[in-house]
């Protein structure tokens, strides 16, 4: 069999894979890319972008409800079919646009999962293909849960494509995907239950703020069941019955739909990594600071599937850029964990950047914590918002801000001011002397430094 050869073969057409492929072709290399699903990746097709299109309708419903006693006479009604059609205007063009964009650049496209057959060769679409560099940019897939009836579980792709809002739903897992979609469906009238094996949701976020968010969701009718392990799902006539083990006893809860939001794992299963001696573990492909496989120098991994990534779109793009540069210029760029803000897009948003309280305590001799509830501030009062809070962490010796955690309707935006402040090593004084727009959530930042915990 004749072997086709490329300088660079990319596996995965998300932000990470596309960035590498484009950098390499623009620098005169012969490039191919393969994807086993529609071209375009998770963010554009099954993640961030469609999620926020749908989510804004939940925000509108909630904001309207908050102002019901203050002049809103009729609650709006959601026509979900039209909402879905609107969302499709964002997702539907993506695969075709992505393919023609890559094609026009001269990149060869494959539509199947390749399998490694040696350290420098793969098998794809019935062909043997060799390459000087293989890039694994396959992202993550939902973690498989294994108990009786787990085949009935739906995942985040299904939530984004729901034909109608179910009357009731159970979410297994309260990470950010679970919390965001639980919030969304509950705000749209679905009776939501969240089951989690741990004792609280969103374990990587600040506890003080997570508790406030959880309480607010509970007040809106979301039922949280913690310290519980799902053991079985049974299909009834209209509902699914989920059994779970709680404090030694088996209990049950019923709903129209059950979603697996129990985390995502590296998408590496069909690749035959062993044949190419590509080291990996449960956090992904093991790479060095150049994002090159530690066990096969012909291979790089970037984006969610690399073990040096946090699963967020901006980081995947950055890693794709670094891998592209390293292939073109020969390992010149190292991946140094940048400061990355992250957001849970509930309403209010929960956003975080920099150190948590625990991390800061272990790193600095003394820290100052500015923490508070801001529900009686103007911004919250004008919206009838009953949850608005913050925690800002400062290195006491230098007065520099080292961590910021916000629970506010615009936290996804205001957290970026803290990202700039921390990146530029700004002090509390630097922030206080700045003038921001008023009234605004940005301006509230200055009031956050008024009282120390
Ligand atoms: C529901 C949801 C909401 C999210 N919301 C946000 C958000 O608000 N903000 C944010 O920053 N991030 C968000 N993320 C995360 C974000 O989508 C990812 O971090 C980002 O898309 C990762 O990009 P990537 O290029 O590494 O991988 P992906 O975009 O996942 O691309 C991987 C590609 O590889 C393909 N592939 C997989 N296996 C194979 C194989 N064996 N052979 C060939 N092709 C393969 C896949 O089909 C896919 O197209 C969200 C994710 C989800 C699931």
């Amino acid at each position: 069999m004749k072997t086709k050869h490329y300088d660079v073969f990319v596996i995965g057409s998300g932000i990470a894979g596309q960035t590498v492929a484009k950098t390499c072709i623009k620098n005169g290399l012969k490039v191919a890319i393969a994807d086993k699903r529609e071209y375009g990746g998770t963010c554009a097709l099954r993640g961030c972008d469609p999620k926020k299109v749908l989510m804004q309708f939940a925000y509108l419903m909630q904001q309207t409800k908050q102002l019901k006693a203050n002049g809103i006479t009729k609650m709006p009604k959601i026509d979900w079919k039209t909402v879905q059609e609107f969302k499709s205007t964002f997702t539907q063009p993506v695969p075709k646009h992505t393919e023609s964009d890559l094609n026009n650049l001269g990149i060869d496209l494959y539509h199947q999962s390749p399998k490694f057959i040696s350290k420098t060769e793969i098998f794809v679409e019935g062909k043997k293909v060799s390459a000087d560099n293989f890039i694994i940019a396959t992202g993550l897939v939902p973690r498989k849960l294994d108990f009786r009836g787990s085949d009935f579980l739906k995942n985040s792709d299904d939530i984004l494509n729901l034909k109608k809002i179910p009357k009731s739903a159970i979410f297994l897992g309260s990470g950010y995907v679970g919390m965001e979609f639980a919030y969304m469906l509950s705000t749209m009238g679905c009776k939501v239950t969240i089951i989690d094996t741990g004792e609280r949701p969103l374990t990587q976020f600040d506890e003080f703020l997570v508790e406030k968010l959880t309480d607010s969701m509970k007040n809106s009718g979301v039922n949280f069941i913690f310290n519980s392990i799902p053991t079985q799902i049974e299909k009834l006539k209209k509902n699914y019955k989920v059994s779970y083990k709680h404090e030694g006893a088996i209990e049950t809860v019923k709903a129209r739909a059950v979603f697996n939001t129990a985390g995502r794992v590296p998408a590496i299963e069909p690749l035959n990594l062993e044949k190419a001696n590509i080291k990996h573990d449960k956090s992904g492909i093991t790479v060095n600071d150049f994002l090159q496989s530690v066990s096969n120098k012909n291979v790089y991994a970037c984006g969610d599937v690399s073990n040096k990534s946090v699963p967020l779109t901006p980081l995947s793009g950055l890693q794709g850029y670094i891998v592209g540069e390293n292939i073109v210029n020969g390992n010149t760029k190292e991946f140094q964990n940048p400061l990355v803000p992250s957001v849970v897009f509930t309403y209010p948003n929960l956003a975080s950047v920099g150190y948590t309280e625990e991390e800061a305590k272990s790193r600095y001799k003394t820290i100052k914590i500015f923490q508070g509830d801001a529900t009686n501030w103007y911004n919250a009062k004008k919206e009838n918002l009953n949850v608005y809070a913050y925690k800002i962490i400062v290195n006491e010796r230098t007065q520099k801000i080292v961590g910021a955690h916000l629970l506010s309707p615009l936290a996804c935006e205001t957290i970026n001011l803290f990202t700039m402040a921390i990146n530029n090593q700004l002090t509390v004084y630097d922030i206080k002397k700045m003038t921001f727009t008023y009234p605004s959530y940005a301006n509230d930042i200055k009031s956050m430094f008024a009282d120390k915990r």
Side-chain angles (χ1 to χ4, degrees):
M1 186 187 289
K2 214 174 149 237
T3 304
K4 193 157 181 162
H5 185 80
Y6 292 97
D7 297 316
V8 179
F9 194 104
V10 180
I11 311 172
S13 71
I15 174 97
Q18 281 188 51
T19 308
V20 182
K22 288 177 182 172
T23 308
C24 292
I25 198 93
K26 284 175 186 163
N27 282 279
L29 300 176
K30 192 169 181 228
V31 181
I33 189 163
D35 203 302
K36 63 175 187 167
R37 296 186 67 173
E38 316 89 301
Y39 269 60
T42 304
C43 180
L45 291 168
R46 306 177 286 276
C48 341
D49 293 354
K51 173 187 79 183
K52 272 204 87 175
V53 174
L54 299 183
M55 197 63 95
Q56 65 184 339
F57 290 90
Y59 295 173
L60 273 173
M61 291 299 280
Q62 181 168 335
Q63 285 173 305
T64 312
K65 200 167 158 195
Q66 280 166 202
L67 291 171
K68 215 174 152 202
N70 307 89
I72 300 278
T73 50
K74 212 171 164 193
M75 280 297 285
K77 259 188 149 171
I78 299 277
D79 171 5
W80 187 250
K81 190 167 168 274
T82 309
V83 171
Q84 279 290 5
E85 281 164 12
F86 179 51
K87 182 214 71 185
S88 298
T89 63
F90 291 82
T91 51
Q92 210 215 339
V94 172
K96 205 169 152 216
H97 279 176
T98 309
E99 289 205 22
S100 61
D101 189 22
L102 295 168
N103 235 330
N104 291 342
L105 289 167
I107 297 170
D108 283 354
L109 309 187
Y110 291 83
H111 297 85
Q112 195 184 58
S113 172
K115 283 190 186 306
F116 281 95
I117 49 177
S118 76
K119 280 180 104 170
T120 54
E121 291 164 313
I122 51 169
F123 196 73
V124 63
E125 291 185 6
K127 293 186 204 69
K128 207 169 158 189
V129 174
S130 63
D132 296 337
N133 297 284
F134 285 99
I135 319 305
I136 302 174
T138 48
L140 304 175
V141 282
R143 182 159 72 89
K144 277 198 185 117
L145 294 177
D146 193 17
F147 49 79
R148 203 179 322 152
S150 56
D151 288 349
F152 292 124
L153 284 166
K154 306 268 188 238
N155 61 34
S156 54
D157 294 7
D158 302 303
I159 304 173
L160 288 166
N161 291 320
L162 278 171
K163 291 222 162 22
K164 57 178 192 177
I165 302 290
K167 276 194 176 144
S168 53
I170 299 166
F171 289 80
L172 305 184
S174 59
Y176 83 90
V177 174
M179 288 291 275
E180 286 178 343
F181 286 127
Y183 160 78
M184 184 181 88
L185 292 192
S186 140
T187 308
M188 304 238 182
C190 172
K191 190 174 172 338
V192 169
T193 299
I194 303 182
I195 302 178
D196 200 293
T197 52
E199 52 192 32
R200 73 171 180 100
L202 300 167
T203 42
Q204 71 276 44
F205 285 86
D206 180 78
E207 199 172 347
F208 164 70
L209 298 181
V210 170
E211 200 177 313
K212 286 193 179 288
L213 175 64
T214 312
D215 285 348
S216 127
M217 286 171 68
K218 274 184 200 164
N219 290 338
S220 318
V222 175
N223 175 25
F224 285 92
I225 301 173
F226 294 120
N227 300 310
S228 299
I229 303 167
T231 54
Q232 173 173 303
I233 303 177
E234 287 163 83
K235 172 121 181 60
L236 310 176
K237 213 167 164 196
K238 280 190 175 164
N239 287 308
Y240 293 94
K241 183 165 90 177
V242 175
S243 305
Y244 58 93
K245 200 169 176 183
H246 179 75
E247 292 177 353
I250 296 290
E251 299 186 23
T252 61
V253 56
K254 286 186 217 161
R256 293 290 164 94
V258 193
F259 299 113
N260 172 7
T261 48
R264 292 166 62 82
V265 295
I268 50 177
E269 211 178 84
L271 296 171
N272 262 355
L273 296 180
E274 286 66 28
K275 287 269 188 223
N277 190 32
I278 301 167
K279 209 174 152 204
H280 60 93
D281 61 23
K282 62 179 178 13
S283 60
I285 310 277
T286 317
V287 290
N288 61 24
D289 287 346
F290 300 112
L291 303 178
Q292 188 174 31
S293 160
V294 293
S295 52
N296 180 344
K297 67 177 178 31
N298 305 100
V299 172
Y300 290 80
C302 51
D304 286 4
V305 77
S306 96
N307 75 334
K308 284 202 194 289
S309 196
V310 176
L312 291 170
T313 293
L315 261 200
S316 291
L318 174 65
Q319 289 204 345
Y321 162 75
I322 289 174
V323 168
E325 291 290 314
N326 284 342
I327 291 171
V328 171
N329 300 317
N331 283 0
T332 46
K333 284 218 171 347
E334 292 190 13
F335 177 73
Q336 317 277 6
N337 253 324
L339 185 71
V340 186
S342 56
V343 184
V344 185
F345 282 104
T346 46
Y347 193 96
N349 306 158
L350 174 60
S352 163
V353 67
Y355 294 124
T356 60
E357 183 176 339
E358 293 69 33
E359 286 165 345
K361 272 182 182 151
S362 66
R363 208 174 165 92
Y364 303 106
K365 211 167 158 203
T366 40
I367 57 168
K368 253 186 184 174
I369 295 182
F370 298 93
Q371 167 183 319
D373 186 300
T375 42
N376 62 359
W377 294 7
Y378 167 76
N379 271 319
K381 278 164 89 175
K382 79 167 191 324
E383 295 174 27
N384 278 335
L385 180 69
N386 58 12
V387 49
Y388 176 19
Y390 60 90
K391 183 188 278 187
I392 317 297
I393 301 161
V394 170
N395 176 356
E396 177 130 55
R397 186 178 65 79
T398 60
Q399 290 296 303
K400 285 178 185 165
I401 299 158
V402 296
H405 309 273
L406 304 174
L407 182 63
S408 94
L410 288 184
C412 73
E413 304 290 352
T414 32
I415 202 69
N416 293 319
L417 292 174
F418 281 106
T419 310
M420 281 203 246
I422 298 173
N423 265 321
N424 291 297
Q425 307 200 15
L426 299 192
T427 63
V428 174
Y429 174 71
D430 291 328
I431 296 278
K432 278 182 149 177
K433 74 178 184 207
M434 285 186 205
T435 304
F436 294 136
T437 53
Y438 180 87
S440 68
Y441 281 95
N443 193 64
D444 283 357
I445 289 177
K446 297 206 286 181
S447 310
M448 291 177 189
F449 294 114
D451 45 276
K452 189 178 135 193
R453 185 178 79 183

